[in-house]
Amino acid sequence: MSQPTDTPGSAAELLVRCLENEGVTVVFGIPGEENIYLTQALERSGIRYVLTRHEQAASFMAEMYGRVTGSAGVVSATLGPGAINLQLGVADAMTNSTPLVAISAQVGRDRNYKESHQFVDLVSMFRPITKWSGTVPSPEAIPEVIRKAFKTAETERPGAVYLAVPEDVDDAAADAALAPLPRNVVRPEAPSSDQVGRAAELIRQARQPIILAGHGASRGHASEALTRFAESLGIPVATTFHGKGVFADDHPNSLGTIGFMTRDYANFGFEKADVIISVGYELQEFDPVRVNPDADKQIIHVHRFPAEVDAHYSVDVGIIADIGASLTALLAELGDHDCPPAEPTPSSTLLGEELESGRHDDRFPLTPQRVVADTRTALGREDIALVDTGAVKMWMARLYPTYAPNTCLVSNGLSTMGFALPGALAVSLARPETKVLAVVGDGAWLMHSQEIETAVREGIPLTVLIWEDNGYGLIEWKMQMEMGEHSNTAFSNPDVVGYAESFGAKGYQITSADELLPTLRAALDDDGVSIINCPVDYRENLQLIQRLGQLDAAL
């Protein structure tokens, strides 16, 4: 028999208390008829419910909240179509190693075994894209199920969890004696002295070691340990797109970022290397054949979990433990060892020259280099840019200098379009002390532009910079590279200023190169919602490929 949600014996109220026990302060989503008791219990709790305009956008918000906090972001939806709309953000979180808990309604237990209205087997649908997909079978199971969900989502390797709550559980009574279970966090083991010793011996014998730092190093808060390790031994460091900022791009040992779709400046450092010290790198970040094409380099894998099997990532020594502690132990084992001086590479110098040249380029539409340079100038070292998928990601990920972990956020596991605008709302809530910028192509921004209304209604600061080229620029780039022609990539855009203003936001149209930087600064200083439309000249795409090819031939 149903009970009101404000009574201690309500299953919905018990579930919310379990969420509060896990440290949840915000839930993103859209309610439905089948989870109204949970929705009301959230309203009467200390948890903020952010009502969104699409469940997929809500899932991206939860993902990005989990990305910057390290604690599972939570998204809620109704059954059937509402739950299915969550799947892209859930899969994105899973492939990006981000903790997320998705909770949706489900039909009652009295009809989930047969064909019935709005019933699909959601648990089975979510299973391939989560670490765990399950049903809350009864009110009595809520404390255990919620604790398991968060422990599973947050433990390395973090990822997504899905829970279905049957309608008759949502409105059921629960024993008043039931209570949340204590949180227990899985702690990493200390590094094995034997493995540390083996890794140290490989480094002593190396002629040209190099460090590849990935997303796991950022999640593991290993930035300081990595910097000490690289400085002490004089080893150059390249980061993945996901690892950007874990090693500052203005450090003398920095090679920049690797992961661009063709051979880029940072690749040169790997071609002469004989030992790769892989720190928190995960294979879904980019294919290891890009740095070890002949599968002849020795690899030291430093992470919280063993490496995936790959012919081009054959691990010679694995140190499976806390990443920072492993680097500290390895540095101590090496003592006063000095690595051979690293051979100079053109990476950091050429990246700096390219960015500086762009800074003074007054052409209109703006070159990508100019947009990146002005974006970097407008944001502080600790401010956060969320960079959507497309040509904009290629330019920002390779060229945008990053100085701290989780300050340049991309989707590189699934490379999903449309996450940055809604994700920026969540990051603004999680990091209110920083300026947050969503950097999107015009192909991605309309996918979730309806969330401008969410930001205005909820009073969440949001600044969006649109790179406008009236087409799917990355697809055109790829077609031109491989086929010399392109098709089916062009579209038109609405009046962005009028569109923004129709939501009660501010809209800006860039009409000359010198307008972008002051406009960015004004928008980022505003605590409201601002949408900036900036025309970009993507003829630079193929010119970049030509320059890289000429450099390749000269070296």
Side-chain angles (χ1 to χ4, degrees):
M1 183 175 180
S2 300
Q3 294 189 12
T5 56
D6 55 357
T7 63
S10 161
E13 193 274 342
L14 173 62
L15 196 154
V16 170
R17 283 192 288 128
C18 288
L19 293 179
E20 290 177 319
N21 181 65
E22 297 293 339
V24 176
T25 58
V26 60
V27 171
F28 306 93
I30 300 176
E33 298 173 60
E34 294 78 15
N35 61 358
I36 56 176
Y37 291 95
L38 174 61
T39 302
Q40 283 303 100
L42 285 167
E43 179 66 20
R44 295 169 182 171
S45 74
I47 297 174
R48 179 176 181 176
Y49 190 94
V50 175
L51 176 67
T52 67
R53 301 305 302 271
H54 198 288
E55 293 93 350
Q56 187 180 105
S59 68
F60 288 137
M61 293 179 195
E63 178 191 5
M64 289 299 114
Y65 195 92
R67 178 84 172 268
V68 298
T69 65
S71 301
V74 180
V75 62
S76 174
T78 190
L79 78 179
I84 292 170
N85 280 343
L86 298 179
Q87 288 195 301
L88 184 55
V90 168
D92 202 60
M94 187 66 184
T95 55
N96 287 326
S97 302
T98 301
L100 177 147
V101 173
I103 303 172
S104 88
Q106 181 54 292
V107 302
R109 292 169 291 180
D110 61 334
R111 60 186 182 97
N112 66 2
Y113 61 91
K114 62 182 180 180
E115 180 179 338
S116 60
H117 179 63
Q118 286 196 303
F119 173 68
V120 289
D121 186 353
L122 293 169
V123 171
S124 295
M125 291 180 69
F126 277 89
R127 188 169 290 125
I129 56 171
T130 57
K131 292 180 73 176
W132 176 50
S133 177
T135 298
V136 179
S138 66
E140 291 73 26
I142 288 173
E144 291 181 342
V145 169
I146 296 297
R147 178 79 282 273
K148 178 180 177 179
F150 280 81
K151 183 176 181 178
T152 302
E154 294 172 353
T155 300
E156 283 286 341
R157 180 178 183 173
V161 166
Y162 168 73
L163 293 177
V165 182
E167 183 178 11
D168 56 333
V169 172
D170 179 65
D171 70 357
D175 189 334
L178 290 170
L181 299 182
R183 278 180 59 84
N184 62 320
V185 179
V186 178
R187 303 294 181 185
E189 295 182 1
S192 162
S193 58
D194 288 344
Q195 295 300 84
V196 169
R198 292 181 59 214
E201 188 57 30
L202 273 185
I203 295 172
R204 289 190 187 99
Q205 297 172 5
R207 300 183 311 277
Q208 190 80 54
I210 190 170
I211 295 170
L212 173 62
H215 189 203
S218 178
R219 294 197 309 271
H221 307 288
S223 184
E224 291 184 10
L226 173 61
T227 303
R228 284 195 304 270
F229 184 83
E231 283 179 349
S232 299
L233 298 172
I235 302 177
V237 180
T239 68
T240 64
F241 284 4
H242 263 165
K244 278 181 71 69
V246 75
F247 193 83
D249 280 332
D250 57 354
H251 192 284
N253 291 41
S254 173
L255 294 177
T257 308
I258 195 160
F260 186 56
M261 58 187 176
T262 64
R263 189 170 182 263
D264 203 356
Y265 306 140
N267 289 85
F268 296 113
F270 286 89
E271 288 164 7
K272 296 180 180 179
D274 58 334
V275 173
I276 298 175
I277 306 167
S278 171
V279 180
Y281 161 68
E282 294 147 21
L283 269 66
Q284 98 282 359
E285 298 187 67
F286 75 97
D287 194 333
V289 72
R290 303 279 299 280
V291 293
N292 192 17
D294 299 322
D296 58 350
K297 303 182 190 302
Q298 293 182 296
I299 295 175
I300 300 170
H301 177 82
V302 182
H303 213 317
R304 289 281 301 278
F305 50 86
E308 177 63 87
V309 174
D310 188 281
H312 295 270
Y313 196 78
S314 180
V315 175
D316 293 270
V317 181
I319 305 176
I320 309 305
D322 178 85
I323 295 174
S326 298
L327 293 174
T328 299
L330 187 51
L331 185 59
E333 180 72 17
L334 286 163
D336 58 0
H337 173 73
D338 290 321
C339 290
E343 293 189 25
T345 68
S347 178
S348 57
T349 300
L350 290 174
L351 282 169
E353 290 174 356
E354 187 178 336
L355 191 65
E356 189 60 26
S357 174
R359 196 182 309 278
H360 302 288
D361 193 328
D362 291 331
R363 286 178 288 174
F364 185 85
L366 281 72
T367 63
Q369 296 94 325
R370 176 61 185 262
V371 183
V372 174
D374 283 0
T375 300
R376 179 64 278 175
T377 301
L379 291 170
R381 291 177 72 92
E382 301 289 331
D383 292 334
I384 299 172
L386 292 88
V387 182
D388 221 303
T389 298
V392 61
K393 172 181 156 183
M394 293 294 108
W395 283 103
M396 284 288 289
R398 66 178 294 273
L399 196 57
Y400 178 76
T402 310
Y403 311 115
N406 284 329
T407 56
C408 182
L409 305 177
V410 302
S411 170
N412 216 44
L414 201 58
S415 290
T416 300
M417 290 182 69
F419 83 90
L421 190 158
L425 274 71
V427 173
S428 290
L429 289 176
R431 294 285 180 265
E433 73 282 3
T434 64
K435 295 177 181 178
V436 179
L437 177 67
V439 183
V440 302
D442 54 355
W445 94 280
L446 278 178
M447 291 181 175
H448 287 301
S449 62
Q450 73 279 354
E451 301 307 328
I452 295 171
E453 191 276 334
T454 302
V456 171
R457 168 173 34 85
E458 293 283 337
I460 302 171
L462 173 67
T463 302
V464 180
L465 173 62
I466 304 166
W467 292 35
E468 184 187 50
D469 72 318
N470 294 300
Y472 292 108
L474 182 61
I475 308 305
E476 180 179 327
W477 190 353
K478 187 76 169 179
M479 284 182 168
Q480 288 292 147
M481 283 174 56
E482 296 196 5
M483 299 183 295
E485 59 183 358
H486 65 275
S487 62
N488 300 306
T489 59
F491 50 73
S492 62
N493 284 303
D495 171 9
V496 172
V497 173
Y499 188 82
E501 291 176 347
S502 72
F503 287 104
K506 294 180 180 178
Y508 300 89
Q509 178 65 46
I510 301 301
T511 59
S512 65
D514 61 0
E515 289 179 356
L516 179 58
L517 181 55
T519 302
L520 275 170
R521 284 173 165 159
L524 289 164
D525 286 340
D526 194 331
D527 60 1
V529 180
S530 299
I531 315 298
I532 305 168
N533 193 49
C534 180
V536 175
D537 186 355
Y538 274 145
R539 286 179 296 178
E540 279 292 308
N541 292 351
L542 292 179
Q543 292 173 18
L544 171 64
I545 299 301
Q546 292 169 359
R547 288 195 298 272
L548 292 175
Q550 291 165 0
L551 177 64
D552 190 8
L555 292 176

